[in-house]
Amino acid sequence: AHVFAHARAIAVASVRHTGSVAAAPAAALDGNPVSRRLLLRGAVWATGVYSSVGSAACASAYTVSQVKPSEKETYEVAQKGDGALRVLWVGAGSLSGVFKGLFPAGNEVVAVDLVRPDRTDYSAATTYAAEHGYNLRFEQGDATKLKFPDGSFDVVVSSMFLCQGSELDVPVPNWEEIVVSEIQRVLKPGGRFGFYEHIEDIDKVIVDKVFGERSVIRVQAYPERTNVIAGVVRKV
């Protein structure tokens, strides 16, 4: 009971990928080291990001940093690499995200959404992108049926999009898993998916159901300060 009570008060250590496995080193939180063993024995967040029914087997083998997630930083980590990258931006909406400085110069960014942005928004976004050294274009499409071939992109990113499954006029079972599976499909081997979402357990879909624990580069959340969870995984 003490372990569970303590785990509720913390979010846990940094995840660093070592090439073959996701290493989970101990981290100091409130001055106390938190080991991977402790997490596997009973990490439970009051918010429900980690849930358990009393069995250690229910806990995940990767860990989550107690850091207030930054959308810009998440996108930077996802787009880290040499040379120009081809980036798919899923759930781009009105394209207002470009004004946050989310995409570096040199990349090709393909924005996808079910609804086409109006001409004014599109013109402003593409102009901003050109002025900042990258190419932006929009493709209207359904995230559950992405029209791109397998392995088309170096990077996929999305923000506050996977929560929209609950808002569909006609609910689609496992909508989030379907979308994430499509994202994985269009990524090149080794390609990265950066997510910034406010579904508290979305990592369970992204990591546990689709990408796998070995994919984790990092996952961050700080439930005491924000309901956002963010991370970067790679296609292995």
Side-chain angles (χ1 to χ4, degrees):
H2 174 72
V3 170
F4 277 84
H6 181 65
R8 289 177 189 276
I10 61 173
V12 291
S14 298
V15 172
R16 289 181 172 81
H17 198 276
T18 61
S20 60
V21 296
L29 298 175
D30 300 328
N32 298 318
V34 181
S35 70
R36 186 173 184 224
R37 180 181 298 274
L38 171 62
L39 298 170
L40 291 175
R41 288 177 62 189
V44 178
W45 289 1
T47 59
V49 174
Y50 279 95
S51 61
S52 175
V53 292
S55 169
C58 295
S60 295
Y62 61 94
T63 58
V64 179
S65 301
Q66 185 183 16
V67 176
K68 185 177 180 180
S70 162
E71 183 181 20
K72 186 173 182 179
E73 186 180 286
T74 297
Y75 278 46
E76 286 174 352
V77 173
Q79 295 174 89
K80 186 177 181 180
D82 297 326
L85 300 175
R86 192 161 190 246
V87 181
L88 179 64
W89 181 15
V90 178
S94 66
L95 306 178
S96 62
V98 300
F99 305 110
K100 301 177 183 179
L102 298 177
F103 303 103
N107 285 355
E108 175 192 0
V109 180
V110 180
V112 173
D113 203 282
L114 197 59
V115 179
R116 184 177 295 277
D118 65 38
R119 292 182 180 181
T120 300
D121 290 340
Y122 184 68
S123 177
T126 53
T127 298
Y128 180 94
E131 291 173 346
H132 288 77
Y134 65 92
N135 179 58
L136 172 68
R137 64 184 176 88
F138 178 82
E139 295 266 356
Q140 190 169 15
D142 183 348
T144 66
K145 301 174 183 178
L146 293 171
K147 54 188 177 182
F148 308 102
D150 296 359
S152 297
F153 294 92
D154 301 293
V155 177
V156 180
V157 290
S158 71
S159 296
M160 303 303 178
F161 175 68
L162 295 173
C163 59
Q164 296 181 22
S166 61
E167 301 171 4
L168 297 174
D169 293 335
V170 179
V172 177
N174 303 315
W175 184 86
E176 296 87 354
E177 185 176 350
I178 293 170
V179 172
V180 175
S181 294
E182 277 292 276
I183 287 171
Q184 185 196 47
R185 180 184 66 78
V186 301
L187 274 173
K188 297 177 181 178
R192 297 184 176 194
F193 172 40
F195 59 92
Y196 183 83
E197 300 287 344
H198 61 60
I199 302 178
E200 61 188 17
D201 58 352
I202 195 61
D203 59 317
K204 298 297 186 186
V205 175
I206 294 170
V207 178
D208 296 354
K209 293 186 177 181
V210 180
F211 278 85
E213 292 174 356
R214 291 179 58 233
S215 73
V216 175
I217 295 173
R218 75 177 195 183
V219 179
Q220 296 178 326
Y222 203 148
E224 291 84 356
R225 295 186 179 181
T226 177
N227 64 353
V228 173
I229 181 167
V232 180
V233 296
R234 70 184 184 96
K235 183 175 181 177
V236 295

